């Protein structure tokens, strides 16, 4: 049965009663203001405040207790917020620059760090990530020609303190320094160097000059790499420049072909020259040795000649005659066998004498084997020489 049903025991079923006691004749809902006051009094007692005195008025003490509780709650919130703001985290890729009353205090490394709220100001700076900036424009070269250069700069923060404190806008300072360094280096180079072979060297020079500018400005930035993406002449002269480029490529190709031919011909010529030198040295040595042999043979022959001059002279004559006859064509005609005059074609006989050295002569023409006759003559001469030698002895 519900506590407010007719005929029931209302006092026992009253949920707002204490210990089943009756709370007068009030049968309405509980008083929320009284419950709130009781809660505030308990909170005030917990915070060290004084509770409600017996016999004192309920309105004034309740207001004071409520205001104290609000102040206590506000103090708790403030303390929690201050504690929350006192700690911060620095990532591995960052460095934290701490300013105390606007003045540089320290630079914190990665980790959990503490700061004094409302006094310290922390600026986190990424120092490991590489950033990119681009620059492009037309500028004059040393030979007073216009050229368009597109440049890309890769950089990172090297000094977090200088990056935060020295320059208001480090990126803007980098853009100005890049433009200044690029124009200075392009103005010190010719158009051909900027457009062709000198692009890589141009990037190196721009990087060095740009780094010196940034260090002088104290920006805290460090250049990682400078890339010259493109260098082009003005549009009005691009066709002529392409023709010049093609001509240079043809020139380079012809030079390479000439160098290849040179590398092929020069070693061959050197080899031939060395071979000729070796042959000349061999001929020289041969002549020297032959002369030495001839001189030695002459000395030996002189000794023999001094012992038998006549025999030696005749022998030398026969040897000389043998040498001469063996190297010449000979035609022998037997005029005793026939009294008729014969016509001899000497030119043909001279031409055919050597190829027909092994053939037999015919009885009708009267021709004889030239080689056999020569051998017979030489044999007879040797016989006479031996006879003379024996007679002289």
């Amino acid at each position: 049965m519900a506590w407010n049903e007719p005929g029931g025991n209302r006092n026992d079923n009253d949920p707002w009663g204490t210990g089943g006691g009756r709370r007068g004749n009030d049968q309405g809902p509980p008083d929320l203001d009284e419950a709130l006051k009781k809660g505030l009094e308990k909170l005030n007692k917990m915070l060290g405040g004084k509770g409600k005195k017996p016999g004192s008025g309920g309105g004034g003490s309740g207001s004071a207790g409520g205001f104290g509780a609000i102040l206590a709650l506000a103090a708790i919130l403030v303390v929690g917020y201050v504690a929350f703001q006192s700690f911060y985290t620095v990532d591995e890729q960052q460095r934290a620059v701490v300013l105390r009353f606007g003045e540089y205090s320290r630079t914190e490394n990665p980790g959990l760090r503490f700061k004094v709220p409302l006094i310290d100001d922390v600026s986190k700076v990424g120092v490991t990530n590489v950033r990119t900036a681009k620059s492009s424009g037309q500028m004059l070269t040393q030979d007073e020609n216009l050229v368009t250069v597109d440049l890309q700069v890769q950089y990172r923060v090297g000094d977090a303190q200088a990056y935060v404190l020295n320059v208001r806008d480090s990126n803007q300072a980098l853009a100005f320094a890049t433009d200044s360094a690029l124009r200075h280096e392009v103005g010190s180079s010719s158009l051909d160097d900027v457009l062709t072979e000198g692009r890589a060297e141009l990037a190196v020079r721009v990087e060095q000059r740009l780094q010196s500018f940034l260090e002088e400005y104290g920006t805290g930035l460090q250049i990682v790499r400078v890339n010259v993406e493109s260098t082009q002449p003005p549009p009005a002269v691009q066709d002529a420049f392409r023709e010049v480029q093609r001509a240079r490529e043809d020139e380079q190709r012809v030079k390479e072909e000439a160098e290849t031919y040179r590398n092929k011909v020069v070693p061959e010529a050197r080899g031939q020259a060395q071979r000729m030198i070796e042959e000349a040295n061999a001929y020289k040595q041969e002549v020297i040795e032959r002369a030495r042999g001839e001189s030695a043979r002459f000395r030996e022959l002189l000794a023999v000649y001094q012992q038998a001059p006549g025999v030696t002279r005749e022998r030398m004559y026969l040897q000389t005659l043998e040498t001469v006859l063996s190297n010449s064509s000979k035609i022998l005609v037997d005029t005793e066998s026939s009294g008729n005059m014969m016509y001899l074609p000497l030119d043909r006989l001279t031409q055919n004498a050597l190829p027909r050295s092994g053939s037999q002569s015919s009885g009708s023409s009267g021709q004889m084997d030239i080689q056999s006759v020569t051998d017979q003559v030489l044999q007879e001469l040797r016989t006479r020489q031996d006879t003379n030698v024996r007679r002289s002895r």
Side-chain angles (χ1 to χ4, degrees):
M1 179 182 294
W3 67 274
N4 56 353
E5 288 183 359
N9 189 358
R10 297 180 180 179
N11 293 332
D12 294 338
N13 297 328
D14 187 4
W16 306 108
T18 56
R22 180 173 180 158
R23 223 166 56 133
N25 295 326
D26 189 6
Q27 297 179 2
D31 192 354
L32 296 179
D33 293 336
E34 184 177 356
L36 180 61
K37 289 179 181 180
K38 291 181 179 179
L40 292 176
E41 288 177 358
K42 292 181 180 180
L43 181 62
N44 191 16
K45 290 180 180 180
M46 293 174 59
L47 297 176
K50 295 182 179 180
K52 179 180 177 181
K53 293 182 179 180
S56 61
S61 61
S63 299
F67 182 72
I70 293 173
L71 289 179
L73 182 61
I76 291 174
L77 294 177
V78 169
V79 171
Y81 177 77
V82 170
F84 178 77
Q85 291 293 324
S86 298
F87 295 95
Y88 63 96
T89 302
V90 182
D91 295 337
E92 288 292 335
Q93 300 178 353
Q94 296 177 339
R95 297 294 183 272
V97 179
V98 181
L99 304 179
R100 180 163 292 176
F101 296 109
E103 185 180 2
Y104 174 75
S105 175
R106 63 189 181 275
T107 301
E108 297 288 357
N109 293 321
L112 182 62
R113 303 299 174 185
F114 174 79
K115 69 175 182 178
V116 180
L118 305 178
I119 296 178
D120 292 343
D121 185 15
V122 179
S123 298
K124 299 179 181 180
V125 180
V127 296
T128 59
N129 54 330
V130 178
R131 310 175 188 183
T132 302
K134 294 185 177 181
S135 178
S136 177
Q138 287 188 352
M139 52 204 74
L140 282 174
T141 60
Q142 187 178 10
D143 49 1
E144 297 182 356
N145 290 313
L146 279 174
V147 63
T148 302
V149 180
D150 295 331
L151 191 72
Q152 183 187 66
V153 180
Q154 297 178 357
Y155 67 97
R156 64 182 182 86
V157 178
D159 187 352
Q161 177 185 353
Y163 180 78
V164 173
L165 300 179
N166 291 351
V167 182
R168 177 176 298 177
D169 190 350
S170 298
N171 297 327
Q172 189 68 27
L174 174 65
F176 291 155
T178 301
D179 188 67
S180 177
L182 178 59
R183 293 181 180 275
H184 186 280
E185 295 300 333
V186 171
S188 303
S189 305
S190 63
L191 179 64
D192 294 338
D193 293 337
V194 175
L195 295 178
T196 56
E197 294 87 359
R199 288 178 55 181
E201 185 178 356
L202 175 64
V204 175
R205 295 202 307 269
V206 171
E207 179 180 350
Q208 294 175 354
R209 183 171 294 276
L210 178 58
Q211 185 62 52
S212 65
F213 285 168
L214 295 179
E215 292 175 357
E216 184 178 356
Y217 298 160
T219 58
L221 299 179
Q222 183 177 0
I223 302 301
V224 177
R225 189 179 184 86
V226 174
N227 297 320
V228 178
E229 294 183 341
S230 65
T231 54
Q232 298 178 356
V237 297
Q238 284 186 1
D239 295 337
F241 177 75
R242 292 191 184 97
E243 292 293 334
V244 174
Q245 289 295 107
R246 284 192 288 268
R248 288 178 177 173
E249 292 176 358
D250 294 339
E251 178 186 4
Q252 186 66 25
R253 178 179 55 80
V254 172
K255 286 182 179 180
E256 292 177 356
E257 291 178 355
E259 188 68 20
T260 303
Y261 179 75
R262 174 182 175 273
N263 294 333
K264 177 183 178 181
V265 172
V266 170
E268 293 180 356
R270 289 176 179 174
Q272 293 177 1
Q274 187 66 27
R275 180 177 57 82
M276 295 175 65
I277 291 173
E278 295 295 334
E279 290 178 354
N281 291 332
Y283 177 73
K284 170 186 174 183
Q285 191 66 27
E286 180 183 358
V287 172
I288 292 174
E289 295 297 331
R290 186 183 296 113
R292 289 176 180 175
E294 292 291 336
S295 62
R297 188 178 62 83
F298 179 77
R299 285 193 295 268
E300 294 177 357
L301 184 61
L302 178 61
V304 176
Y305 181 78
Q306 291 176 353
Q307 295 178 2
V311 176
T312 304
R313 187 184 302 111
E314 185 175 0
R315 183 175 181 179
M316 291 176 61
Y317 172 77
L318 294 176
Q319 290 178 353
T320 304
L321 182 60
E322 180 180 2
T323 303
V324 172
L325 293 177
S326 63
N327 294 329
S328 62
S329 300
K330 296 168 286 293
I331 300 174
L332 301 178
V333 180
D334 188 5
T335 59
E336 296 180 355
S337 62
S338 177
N340 297 326
M341 178 66 69
M342 292 187 303
Y343 170 73
L344 298 176
L346 298 179
D347 52 350
R348 295 184 180 179
L349 291 175
T350 304
Q351 293 177 1
N352 299 329
L354 293 177
R356 295 171 57 188
S357 60
S359 62
Q360 300 292 332
S361 61
S362 60
S364 60
S365 62
Q367 296 181 357
M368 302 177 63
D369 188 8
I370 298 176
Q371 186 66 34
S372 61
V373 172
T374 304
D375 294 339
Q376 292 176 4
V377 172
L378 293 177
Q379 184 66 29
E380 184 178 357
L381 292 175
R382 291 193 185 96
T383 304
R384 293 180 181 180
Q385 180 183 5
D386 295 338
T387 304
N388 293 333
V389 171
R390 287 194 296 269
R391 291 177 181 177
S392 62
R393 290 179 181 176

